[in-house]
Every structure is written in C-alpha cells, then in structure tokens.
Amino acid sequence: MFDFIVGKYNYWIHIILMMIGFYAMMSKRNLIKKIIGMNIFQTAIIIFFISIAAKRGATLPILEHAHDGGEHAIEAISYINPLPHVLMLTAIVVMVATLGVALAVVILVYRKYDTLEEAEILKKIK
Amino acid sequence: MDMEIITSIKPLLATVTPLLCILLIILSRRIPNLRELWTIIASLVTFSIVASMVKTLYTSKIIAYKLVEVYPGVDIAFRVDAFGLFFALLSSFLWIVVSFYSIGYMRSLDEHSQTRYFAFFAVAISSALGVAFSSNLFTLYLFYEILTVCTYPLVTHNQNNEARSSGRMYLGYLLGTSVAFFLPAILFTYYFAGTLDFSPHGILNGKASNGMITFLFLLFLFGIGKAAIMPFNGWLPRAMVAPTPVSALLHAVAVVKAGVFCQLRVYFNIFGVELLHNQNLDIFLIYFVSITILLGSLFALKQDDIKAMLAYSTISQLSYIILAAGLYSYHGMLGGVVHIVMHGFGKITLFMCAGSILCGARIKKISRLGGIGRRMPITMLAFLFGALSVAGIPPFGGFMSKWFLALGSIEAHQWPILVVLLTSTLLNLGYFMPVVFISFFGKDSESIKGYPDIREPSPFIVAPLAFTALVSLALFFYPYPFLYLAEIFVKSMMGG
Amino acid sequence: MIDQAPILVVIFPLIFAVVTPLLGWWKKDLCYPWVILALSLSSVCSIITLKEVLGNGVIHYHLGGWEPPWGIEYVIDHLNSFILVLVASISLLVAISSKRLVEEENPDKVVYFYTLFLLQVTGFLGIVATGDLFNLYVFLEIASLAGYALIAVGEEHAPFATFRYLVMGTIGACFYLLGVGYLYMATGSLNMADVAQILPDIYSSKVVMVAFIFLLVGVAIKMALFPLHAWLPDAYTYAPSATSALVAPLMTKVSVYVMIRIIYTVFKPYYSIEILPVNLILGWLAVIAILYGVIMALRQVDIKRMFCYILIAEIGYMVGGVGLANRLGVTGAILHIMNDALMITGLFLVAGAVVYKLGGHNINQLRDAFKKMPFSMAAFAVVGLSLIGVPPTCGFFSKWYLILGAIEAENWIFIVALLLSSAINAILFFKIVEIAYYGKASHAHNGDSHGGNTIDEAPVSILIPLGVVALAIILAGIFSGKIVSGILQFAVPPNL
C-alpha cells in the first residue's frame, strides 16, 4: 500500500494539483481566481506528461558525439522520452494563448460590469 | 391476375403542372385577370392529362414512373392504378369547377392576398394528385405532409385571431397524428415487410405477429388524421374559418378524401383485406367508424352555422367510405369507393351554395335563412340537389353508393351496419331538409326583410354550383367512368 | 496539386488567415473577398479530396514526408472527406453572408473578425482531417480560442458568457489532452490507426479505460452534450450574428465527428459496446438531451436562444444515433451531421437577417416578418419543416434512419423521444410562424390591406447563402438515398 502511494508519487501530485485547479475553476466566485485555477489545472497536465517521459537513471535525449563522432547505436533506455516534452511545448503555447484570451475577456467583463465577482455580475445581468 | 405495367411520365406531369402554374401566378400577380387565366389553364391541362390515362387503365394496365430512390428499396415513385386514377380524376375535375368559383367568390368579397391564395391552392391540388398517384407508402406520406402544410395558409387566410386558433388546431391535429402515429407506422411496416410498395393483396401478410399487426392497424387508423375519424375530427369544423372555395374543394374533396384515400390504400394494399378479415380487424373497424357516422350526423343536427353543419356532415360521410375496408364483400368495397365521388360532388355543391349565400346575402347562420330560396332560387335548388345526393335519395348519385354499402353489409352479414346506414340517412334528411324548407317556405328573416338587393351573386359563383348539382343528378344515371374504375380496383383485390 | 489537396484544404485558410491582418492594415475592404477566396479554394480542394477518396479509396497524407507513426498523418476516408466538404462549404456560405452583418455589428473590428474567422475554420478543418490524436487537440484549441474571441465581441453579456464558455471549453480540452496522455502512456503512439492497432491487446487495462472516459467527457463538453451543455445557450445567443452562424452548426458537428472517431475508430466497437458499454450511457443522455432541449426551447422568447436549445436537442439525435451502435443508427447520425449542420446554419442565418433588418432577436420583433421579409421567412419555413421532419426535406431522412436503427436496437424510448421532439419542434416553429404571419392582432380582412405590404428584405449577401441552404436542405433530402449509398455506407465503421 505504501509502495502504491509513494512509488507513484508523480501521479498523486498531478491528481492533487489538478483537483486544486478544478476546485478553483468550479467554486471560486472571482473570475481571476478561476483563471488561476485554470492555470493550475493545465500545469498539472503538463507535469503529468513530463513525468511519464521520465526514466530512472536516464538522461536528456541529446546525442553525445561531436561532428566526427561517426555512427553509433543509440541506447533508447538511457535517454528519457523526448516526445512528451515536445508535445508539452505545443501545449504550453496553447495554454498561454488560452490565458491571454481569458484575460482579455476578463478585461471586457470588467469594463462592462465594473466588478469581477461572479455573484455581482449575475445580479447586474438580471 | 398480373397487371401489365407501362412506364409513362404522365403521372409526374399531372402532379407538376399545378406547380409550374404557381410560378406564372406569382409572376403575373399584378394582373389579376392573367393570374386567374393561368389557374384555369393549369386546371384544364391537369385534368386532360389525368383523363388521358383512363383509356390505358380500362385495359387492365398500370402506369408507373420512378423518380428517385431515397432509400434502398424505397423510391419516390408514381404508380397509377384504378383507385388512384379514380381519386385523381375527381380532384382534378373539381379543381376546374372550383377555379371558376374561386374567381367569383374572392372578387365578390374583395379578399386580400389573392395571389397567395391561388398559389397555395395549386400546391394543394398538386399534392392531392401526388397522394393519388403514389406507388408506395413513403411517397404517399410525402405528399400527405405537403398537403397538410400547404393548406395552412389557405385555412388561415383571414389572418385574424379566429384563423390563428383554428390554424393551430388544424396543424396540431394533422401534423401531430401524422408524426406521432403515421410515421412510426410506416417505419414499422418497412422494418417488418422490407418494402413499402403497394400490392393488391397487401405486404404485411405473414410478416409480423398478430399483436404487431393490430398495433400497426391502430397506428394507421389514428395516424391518418385527415380522414377525421373520431376522436381526431376536431380540426375539420374549425377549418371552416377558411374561405368557402377552400372548404369546398379541400374540406369536402381534396384533403379529407385524401385522408380516406390513404386509409383505404393502407387497408387494401398494405394490410390486404384478407389479413384484416382473418384477424377480425374488419369487424372492429366498421363498428368503430359507425360511432363516427352516427355522432357526426347528430352533431350536424345542432349546428346553426351552415358550414359547421356541412363539416360535421362531412365527418359522418367520410366514415361511410372507410366502411369499404371493413365490409368484407364485393359490394361493400365498391360502395365505399364509389361514395368518394358521390359524396364529393354532393358536398362540394353544398359548400358552394353556402359560399353563394354568403356572397349574395352575407348570411352564415341557418336560423336566418328564412325566405332566401325565393331570392336565390338557383342556389337553394342546387342545395336541395346536393343534400338529397349526400343523404342518398334516388335519383341522385349518392343513392348508388349507399345502395352498394347496404348490399355489402347484407353480404357480409353485418346487419347492425345496415341499421346504422338507415339511421344516418334519416339524420341526414333531418338536418338538410329544414334548411331547404325554411328557405323556400319560411317567413322572411330579419337579415332578408329589409334588403331588397339580395339576389343571386355573379355567374362565376352560380354556374359552378348549378353544374355540380346537375352532375350529382347525372351520376345516378351515368356513373361511368368512376364506376368502371372502382370495379377494376375492387376486382383486382378480390383476386380477379 | 491534386496529391496535395488534403493538406491544402487546411492550409489555405491558415495561410490566408495570417495574411489577413496585413491586408486589412493596407485596405480594409479587401478582407472580405480575401476570405471568400480562401474558403472557395479550400472548398474546391475538399471536393477534389472527396472525389479522390470515392475513386481511389482512403488517402494517407504524411506531413513533411515523415512516415507514421512518427510523423503526423492525415487520413482522409469516406467519413471525414464528406465532413470536410460540409465544413468547408458551410463556412464559405457563412463567410458570404457575413459582409453586411459584420459591418453592422462590429464595424471597427472587421479585419480581426475575418482573421479569426479563417483561423476558426482552419481549426474545424484540421480536426476533421487529421489522423493524429495530439494534432487534433491543437486544432481543437485553435478552433475554440478563435471561437472565444469571436463570441466575446458580441452584444450585451457576451463577454461574461464567453468567460464561462472559455472555462468549460478549457476543461473539455484538458480532459481530452489528459485522455491522449493516458493513451500515449499505454500505447506509446499518437497516431489513431496505430493506437487502434495496439489497443486490442490491452483492452483490459484500467489506464485505457480512464483514457477512454476522459476523451469522451472532453469531447462531450465541446459538443455541449447534456448535462455539459450549460455554456452553450448564453455564448451562442450573445455572439455576433455571423459568428453564431459559423460556430453553432460547425463546432458541435465537428465534436460529434471526433466522438464517432474515438468510439469506432480509435477504440473498436468491440470495446465501446462490449467491454465498456458507453453506447447505453450515450443513448440515455441523448434521450434526455432531446427532451430537455426541445422543452427548454419552448420556453424561450428570444429566437437565438430558442435555436440554441434546438441545437442541444439535435446533438441528442446524433449522439443517440451513435449510441444505437448499429449500422442504421450510425448512418443516421452521420447523415444528421450534414442535415443538422444545414438546418442550424439556416436558422442562425435567418436570425442574422432578422437582427439586421428588425433590430433584435426577440420573438415579438418578428411581427409581420412574412410581409417584410418574404424570402427570408420562406427559407425559414423550409428549415422549420426540416426540423419537424416533413418530407422531402433532409430532416425527415435522418429521422428515418435513426428510427429504423432504434427499431433494430429495440430502443423504444429513443423512438418516443424522436417523435416527441418532432411534435414539439412543430409547436416551436409555428409559434414563430404565427407571430410572423399574423402580425398585429387586429388584421381583419378588408380591401385596404392590398397596398400595405412593403417589402424590406435582408441584403442579397445574406439571402443568397440562405437560399442555397434552403435548397440544399431539400436536395439533401431528395438525394439522401444517393448520398448514403454513394458515400455514407463506406463511412460507417465496419464491424457494426
């Protein structure tokens, strides 16, 4: 049981972070707090992806040879998986863009209602 | 007996001609005379196309034309058999008559939106012909629904509150029943039979369990709301808010007859009379519609509005026609089918008379008709002819169909139906004769006394109704070609 | 050129989108023709692709020449080539209609509007074309982000509605991404075909199950499947007219496509039906979505909001079809993707025309609309009839397949839901028609109203797309048999 919890600590962290973010998005009444929650949520997913790429005792996937090093076999086992990293580069771009749009929308909301509290906005809409 | 099948574009042409005429109607909307000319021409052309198919059908052939396949095994296709042609002949012929009548009526009341009126009238006729010529249930349903939708602007022509609520009722009943019952019935039929094509002996025999057949039968019975079988009859009296020519052609002939036509089509060519008979559904059917026959007549008795009375009378008479499917006998079927024509001519005469009274004297109530027969003798004489024909008194056409029905009920050993028929005839006379009597022999009513200018309206109105009244009389002596066609059809189902 | 057509479909809007701001900075008026050009080119390429697929089978396009599973692969089969044509042509139609709408509603943001418009279309097309799970996520977010920005510049409460949409949308996208992550963990691949090949060996794995659930929930949020629909009505109601005409029909349809891909391509029917019977859950959700959607629509007085709830109900049709898990049901679902895209486009284009001409989208603003805008309202009537499911409009045929599929799956409750929603759609539609047709209550018929109808029709740039959509609705109905036998029967996943 202990092994189950500690041995997979990366997943636990990812799940805890995700739930924190999810909670903030769903139940915080302030729009900025929601956005912060959203960011935590997204970051949790990034951490998850990165952590599944990791291997014990492996190094960065950079081939260590000079120009004249010639051909040599690549031991995949000694490198961490680069693909999730690359995916997350793209995902980060997407997330930054989302954040940008979200903030822009929040500015529009603020200009319209002079507040960022959801309850007050809903009152004004009615 | 295998029918020889001929491929011909004629049924398509007949269906499309009224549609083409719409374009011309809309284009010439600024010139009323030209606009009405197009309607007349289209009606004449349509009728001649339909009539030209009669010869082919006499020689036991069938005309077919396939348009497009919409689903494996399901086409939009036309197939003209004796029954379809029978109905098409009636509708297209009466369209000519009513076109003249419409011109007189709409102009004498100075109605608004006449272009819209004539355009949608043409669509309605086109879809009624489509119903007549359908070769399968799908095509039938297609035209059935178009007929519902395109008559909505006609029924609600006045665009006032009364029209609005009647329009709701109209669509509520007709679309509601067709979507809730008719459509699933078609889909189930397809699922079990694997086809929707009409066949002389039905397609469901042996394809589904007895319970399923009964269930389908009920779905069809209630799904085809245009037949106005109780309890789905409420729309018809309400639809009388429409201009009279609409009530005349659509709610005495095209729409309601399309309803009973569909019902008979389904019973004859989807279930097959044998199947109905073996499951005793025919017995259920005749007693079920007997209720409508009697109640319809009773309701008609207490109406004061002329058109409302005619509407209830129609409801009652429509169920006579449905009897055809339940009286498992040669004459029963023949009588029901022939009644489509006999009642059609009689009832259209009555409606046109009601419109004539409205145009000539601005009267809608029966209680105010006292003495009108002396001012408008032709109209009220025509009314008498129509009434006698609908009630089934010799020497009028209606007698023939009722005679056959009576014979049929004896052949089928259904004595109670004979009683129903006779009772209903008495009731028919009960609500028609007082109208005729007070109009000729009653005192002048309030609405007539002070108005010396009450007289027969324009010949455009009087001529058509006099004509159809005479036809009702003539049909007793010369019921061909309708009778021939009906005989061909009934024989084809009885196995030749 | 023809070899490159699959990628050009997506690339054209993308490249043109990048150039749009520059072009707009130089000359604002050029943006409109520029967008039309981009989407026309894209449409042409999509049609070429479809022809290619029909002629030579599935196209595998390797981006940058990298072999799958390492590189990104575009796999164009019958299913997505069909949807590509649909998406490209509908966005072209909406683009044509957008000219006057954008000038009217967002005059200072024309350039950015068109940039985002193209980006969003790029997203839709990319989602449909790609055969790579992660690539799909990227396109999903391109489409969504562009969508947020487009909606946010709408009227009144648009920014707040957008914010809610954004939060929900991001959760959906993140769930999808998480699902992709789990799948990658289990299979080490992102290529759909590759994943599909590896998965059957590890179907028992919990990771795979979690991945499956996350993917489905993510997509369900994006398509606004009940109970995850809450963001949709506000967002699409307040969006600018042109935006809602683009987003409403396409975003949801594209998401349904993704769902079909996940359930039947990435995971095989064996998994999604036998091991984890999501089809049952989807079936139930669909029934609730349909009923909830139409009932809520009934309560609305804002036509755009009403259309949004109709859209939620329509999503239920498609999801329910997918959930039937037989060939007929899935065929119906795919056919309904097309039909519904056409109908919803039609609805929101009408809403656009109404907003443009009558100044708002409250139902009461439609008074006398039939007189003022006869063509728009005629198109609306066609769309409405299709929503009810009156043949020969296309809406009838998807219902036809769905109901037959439901009979086969013996899912009676779905049939009832479909029929009930048809009936309620009829009420909804005639609620609008009544207001638009009757106008002021005191519209008694008298001779004076002849000259009163002043036509004040929406601009041609809206009428043309609207006319095309209305025509397409009818043609798609009549030729639905051909579409199914020619394209869709190959698009339905095998082994069903």
Side-chain angles (χ1 to χ4, degrees):
Chain A
M1 188 65 201
F2 184 73
D3 275 0
F4 179 68
I5 296 174
V6 175
K8 311 211 166 178
Y9 67 92
N10 56 329
Y11 298 137
W12 290 113
I13 291 173
H14 134 72
I15 289 169
I16 290 166
L17 273 178
M18 205 167 88
M19 285 306 118
I20 292 174
F22 196 62
Y23 169 78
M25 282 164 97
M26 289 291 108
S27 58
K28 288 292 167 197
R29 309 299 285 169
N30 185 294
L31 300 192
I32 296 293
K33 285 186 185 161
K34 276 178 187 280
I35 292 180
I36 294 172
M38 188 171 87
N39 246 356
I40 298 173
F41 189 79
Q42 293 173 322
T43 312
I45 292 173
I46 294 178
I47 289 177
F48 164 72
F49 265 85
I50 299 299
S51 72
I52 61 172
K55 287 177 199 157
R56 232 169 266 286
T59 180
L60 297 176
I62 300 170
L63 297 185
E64 293 175 358
H65 57 75
H67 295 302
D68 52 355
E71 297 283 323
H72 60 82
I74 300 166
E75 278 184 71
I77 197 76
S78 55
Y79 296 103
I80 61 170
N81 185 352
L83 190 78
H85 292 244
V86 182
L87 295 184
M88 282 312 103
L89 272 181
T90 317
I92 287 169
V93 174
V94 171
M95 288 165 191
V96 169
T98 313
L99 180 65
V101 175
L103 289 174
V105 171
V106 164
I107 291 172
L108 277 178
V109 170
Y110 187 75
R111 282 198 194 137
K112 188 122 208 154
Y113 306 103
D114 273 333
T115 175
L116 288 177
E117 293 298 323
E118 203 176 13
E120 289 175 35
I121 296 170
L122 287 176
K123 211 181 282 172
K124 289 195 178 176
I125 287 179
K126 287 206 170 144
Chain B
M1 177 170 70
D2 273 332
M3 301 268 182
E4 194 185 334
I5 294 175
I6 301 171
T7 304
S8 159
I9 201 170
K10 273 180 188 169
L12 179 67
L13 278 183
T15 314
V16 168
T17 310
L19 293 179
L20 292 180
C21 139
I22 295 167
L23 200 67
L24 298 170
I25 289 178
I26 292 173
L27 285 178
S28 52
R29 63 183 180 278
R30 303 251 176 265
I31 317 159
N33 285 339
L34 184 62
R35 179 184 67 193
E36 267 77 302
L37 182 68
W38 292 127
T39 302
I40 302 283
I41 291 176
S43 62
L44 289 169
V45 172
T46 309
F47 175 70
S48 39
I49 296 174
V50 173
S52 72
M53 288 187 275
V54 174
K55 269 268 149 43
T56 325
L57 268 285
Y58 273 179
T59 52
S60 296
K61 286 173 185 150
I62 281 179
I63 299 172
Y65 188 75
K66 179 179 153 182
L67 206 59
V68 62
E69 185 175 54
V70 292
Y71 186 85
V74 179
D75 309 314
I76 295 180
F78 297 107
R79 174 172 163 280
V80 188
D81 67 351
F83 189 32
L85 189 66
F86 175 86
F87 178 47
L89 206 57
L90 174 72
S91 309
S92 61
F93 180 68
L94 288 179
W95 188 30
I96 307 175
V97 180
V98 172
S99 295
F100 284 106
Y101 183 78
S102 288
I103 298 170
Y105 181 87
M106 298 303 272
R107 292 194 181 176
S108 99
L109 291 184
D110 195 15
E111 287 275 3
H112 67 285
S113 310
Q114 293 193 18
T115 307
R116 183 180 77 202
Y117 170 87
F118 282 107
F120 278 102
F121 216 111
V123 186
I125 293 298
S126 162
S127 29
L129 292 178
V131 167
F133 292 150
S134 298
S135 105
N136 54 40
L137 257 185
F138 173 78
T139 317
L140 186 82
Y141 182 73
L142 173 84
F143 286 108
Y144 181 90
E145 289 290 47
I146 297 176
L147 187 56
T148 307
V149 173
C150 73
T151 44
Y152 176 80
L154 295 173
V155 170
T156 59
H157 186 84
N158 289 342
Q159 286 177 266
N160 53 20
N161 282 337
E162 196 194 348
R164 179 198 296 242
S165 66
S166 299
R168 272 187 202 164
M169 186 87 98
Y170 188 73
L171 282 176
Y173 271 101
L174 294 186
L175 271 184
T177 51
S178 76
V179 170
F181 306 125
F182 196 10
L183 176 60
I186 294 172
L187 286 160
F188 278 111
T189 305
Y190 180 73
Y191 185 74
F192 288 114
T195 175
L196 290 174
D197 291 339
F198 298 131
S199 141
H201 299 287
I203 55 174
L204 276 170
N205 206 349
K207 295 284 173 52
S209 66
N210 287 355
M212 199 63 203
I213 295 281
T214 311
F215 176 62
L216 277 178
F217 170 79
L218 290 176
L219 281 181
F220 278 119
L221 178 65
F222 294 123
I224 304 172
K226 287 198 173 82
I229 298 174
M230 286 180 186
F232 294 110
N233 63 331
W235 61 273
L236 187 55
R238 296 296 296 273
M240 292 304 141
V241 65
T244 308
V246 174
S247 311
L249 184 55
L250 300 183
H251 301 122
V253 184
V255 172
V256 291
K257 295 289 155 59
V260 288
F261 178 84
C262 292
Q263 294 259 5
L264 292 188
R265 252 298 185 240
V266 167
Y267 301 139
F268 287 150
N269 297 138
I270 294 293
F271 288 93
V273 276
E274 274 87 19
L275 182 62
L276 289 183
H277 187 62
N278 293 341
Q279 299 221 12
N280 288 331
L281 289 171
D282 55 343
I283 308 292
F284 171 78
L285 182 68
I286 51 177
Y287 288 104
F288 188 77
V289 297
S290 292
I291 301 172
T292 310
I293 294 179
L294 292 177
L295 283 183
S297 295
L298 281 175
F299 281 128
L301 268 180
K302 56 172 224 191
Q303 302 300 324
D304 191 31
D305 190 291
I306 307 173
K307 282 171 77 178
M309 176 192 82
L310 294 178
Y312 279 105
S313 161
T314 305
I315 291 172
S316 157
Q317 300 285 329
L318 289 175
S319 287
Y320 278 70
I321 299 169
I322 310 271
L323 284 179
L327 292 172
Y328 185 64
S329 63
Y330 176 77
H331 281 108
M333 289 188 225
L334 191 64
V337 172
V338 172
H339 198 57
I340 292 181
V341 165
M342 301 309 177
H343 173 251
F345 276 98
K347 195 48 74 64
I348 203 168
T349 311
L350 293 171
F351 270 112
M352 290 198 287
C353 291
S356 170
I357 296 169
L358 181 67
C359 290
R362 313 272 150 164
I363 297 174
K364 286 182 173 175
K365 301 282 179 206
I366 294 173
S367 51
R368 304 209 171 162
L369 283 179
I372 191 138
R374 294 192 284 274
R375 306 283 187 90
M376 302 171 69
I378 305 178
T379 301
M380 291 319 292
L381 214 57
F383 191 94
L384 176 68
F385 278 35
L388 291 176
S389 181
V390 169
I393 306 296
F396 291 94
F399 172 73
M400 178 174 284
S401 48
K402 285 207 178 164
W403 178 250
F404 285 146
L405 278 172
L407 272 183
S409 58
I410 296 168
E411 280 171 23
H413 307 293
Q414 296 297 338
W415 300 98
I417 296 299
L418 193 60
V419 177
V420 169
L421 288 173
L422 293 176
T423 318
S424 173
T425 303
L426 287 179
L427 288 170
N428 291 343
L429 291 174
Y431 55 75
F432 280 135
M433 284 311 117
V435 177
V436 180
F437 184 82
I438 60 165
S439 66
F440 281 110
F441 306 114
K443 278 198 310 236
D444 279 6
S445 75
E446 298 288 308
S447 318
I448 293 184
K449 221 175 263 170
Y451 302 91
D453 61 333
I454 291 179
R455 54 187 149 73
E456 297 282 1
S458 93
F460 270 111
I461 296 179
V462 180
L465 64 91
F467 176 68
T468 52
L470 290 176
V471 174
S472 294
L473 180 64
L475 278 173
F476 178 78
F477 302 102
Y478 188 79
Y480 324 102
F482 291 110
L483 190 60
Y484 276 154
L485 287 172
E487 279 175 346
I488 292 173
F489 176 63
V490 173
K491 277 180 187 155
S492 80
M493 282 183 313
M494 301 293 278
Chain C
M1 174 72 187
I2 287 183
D3 296 346
Q4 307 294 328
I7 189 71
L8 285 176
V9 176
V10 184
I11 288 288
F12 271 127
L14 182 63
I15 302 278
F16 278 60
V18 177
V19 180
T20 311
L22 301 174
L23 200 69
W25 176 59
W26 177 50
K27 250 196 177 123
K28 214 165 123 180
D29 292 342
L30 284 178
C31 288
Y32 177 69
W34 183 248
V35 169
I36 304 283
L37 177 67
L39 294 176
S40 309
L41 287 171
S42 181
S43 303
V44 170
C45 288
S46 70
I47 291 167
I48 293 173
T49 314
L50 178 65
K51 275 195 135 167
E52 224 11 59
V53 172
L54 290 180
N56 304 330
V58 182
I59 301 176
H60 294 269
Y61 184 90
H62 304 151
L63 256 67
W66 292 89
E67 291 291 317
W70 300 281
I72 294 173
E73 183 192 23
Y74 280 13
V75 182
I76 316 286
D77 61 8
H78 290 84
L79 175 57
N80 55 359
S81 59
F82 172 69
I83 295 182
L84 274 181
V85 174
L86 185 72
V87 171
S89 45
I90 285 194
S91 40
L92 175 63
L93 286 176
V94 176
I96 294 172
S97 78
S98 68
K99 183 170 174 34
R100 301 284 286 277
L101 293 172
V102 180
E103 283 168 4
E104 171 92 0
E105 290 169 29
N106 300 101
D108 51 338
K109 300 194 182 75
V110 177
V111 179
Y112 306 111
F113 175 87
Y114 283 122
T115 312
L116 290 170
F117 191 99
L118 281 181
L119 275 178
Q120 183 161 38
V121 177
T122 310
F124 293 148
L125 293 170
I127 294 171
V128 178
T130 191
D132 183 281
L133 286 167
F134 188 80
N135 197 234
L136 198 153
Y137 164 76
V138 175
F139 279 119
L140 197 62
E141 280 305 74
I142 291 179
S144 300
L145 286 171
Y148 304 144
L150 282 173
I151 293 172
V153 294
E155 56 191 89
E156 279 237 74
H157 305 302
F160 187 61
T162 310
F163 185 81
R164 291 185 147 182
Y165 175 25
L166 188 148
V167 170
M168 283 306 283
T170 306
I171 294 175
C174 286
F175 276 7
Y176 177 84
L177 182 58
L178 209 56
V180 173
Y182 284 133
L183 268 193
Y184 180 69
M185 228 167 106
T187 64
S189 179
L190 292 169
N191 183 291
M192 287 184 195
D194 200 30
V195 172
Q197 215 168 29
I198 298 170
L199 273 179
D201 296 334
I202 48 170
Y203 269 165
S204 54
S205 157
K206 289 251 166 31
V207 180
V208 172
M209 186 191 285
V210 174
F212 188 53
I213 293 169
F214 268 123
L215 288 174
L216 281 189
V217 174
V219 176
I221 293 179
K222 289 281 180 192
M223 76 167 91
L225 175 62
F226 184 91
L228 303 168
H229 64 278
W231 55 269
L232 187 141
D234 273 339
Y236 290 180
T237 306
Y238 296 129
S241 308
T243 305
S244 37
L246 177 71
V247 187
L250 295 183
M251 187 74 212
T252 44
K253 301 302 111 59
V254 164
S255 308
V256 173
Y257 160 79
V258 176
M259 193 179 77
I260 295 177
R261 270 278 181 252
I262 292 171
I263 295 186
Y264 293 127
T265 305
V266 178
F267 290 81
K268 293 297 169 198
Y270 172 65
Y271 187 80
S272 7
I273 298 170
E274 309 267 321
I275 299 182
L276 191 69
V278 284
N279 61 317
L280 296 182
I281 303 166
L282 290 179
W284 278 105
L285 286 181
V287 168
I288 302 171
I290 293 172
L291 297 180
Y292 171 85
V294 288
I295 290 171
M296 285 301 284
L298 211 48
R299 295 176 45 189
Q300 306 306 321
V301 288
D302 181 321
I303 55 168
K304 268 176 99 174
R305 195 174 284 270
M306 186 192 280
F307 296 163
C308 289
Y309 281 105
I310 291 177
L311 175 58
I312 290 173
E314 297 286 318
I315 292 161
Y317 284 38
M318 286 170 273
V319 173
V322 173
L324 290 175
N326 53 34
R327 285 194 73 84
L328 281 167
V330 178
T331 311
I334 299 173
L335 187 64
H336 200 59
I337 289 182
M338 172 181 77
N339 297 347
D340 189 46
L342 289 171
M343 292 188 286
I344 300 290
T345 312
L347 285 182
F348 279 93
L349 283 178
V350 171
V354 167
V355 172
Y356 185 82
K357 267 295 157 198
L358 308 176
H361 37 81
N362 191 291
I363 195 164
N364 286 321
Q365 257 141 339
L366 281 167
R367 267 185 208 300
D368 273 331
F370 265 105
K371 280 233 170 86
K372 290 180 201 149
M373 307 166 72
F375 297 107
S376 307
M377 293 314 285
F380 173 72
V382 172
V383 179
L385 293 177
S386 179
L387 278 170
I388 301 170
V390 176
T393 54
C394 62
F396 173 79
F397 292 92
S398 25
K399 253 172 222 170
W400 174 275
Y401 283 91
L402 289 173
I403 294 180
L404 279 178
I407 295 177
E408 197 178 304
E410 302 193 341
N411 187 346
W412 310 117
I413 187 90
F414 187 54
I415 300 180
V416 173
L418 283 175
L419 296 176
L420 209 58
S421 85
S422 292
I424 299 181
N425 274 337
I427 299 176
L428 277 174
F429 169 61
F430 284 103
K431 189 170 148 191
I432 297 179
V433 165
E434 270 191 356
I435 288 176
Y437 179 68
Y438 292 102
K440 307 257 176 340
S442 60
H443 203 300
H445 62 91
N446 49 16
D448 304 334
S449 56
H450 285 281
N453 39 356
T454 44
I455 292 179
D456 185 20
E457 195 36 284
V460 183
S461 63
I462 301 176
L463 284 183
I464 290 175
L466 199 52
V468 173
V469 168
L471 200 66
I473 284 175
I474 295 173
L475 291 181
I478 293 176
F479 293 105
S480 70
K482 296 243 179 323
I483 294 173
V484 170
S485 62
I487 306 173
L488 294 191
Q489 61 159 324
F490 307 107
V492 176
N495 320 325
L496 266 178

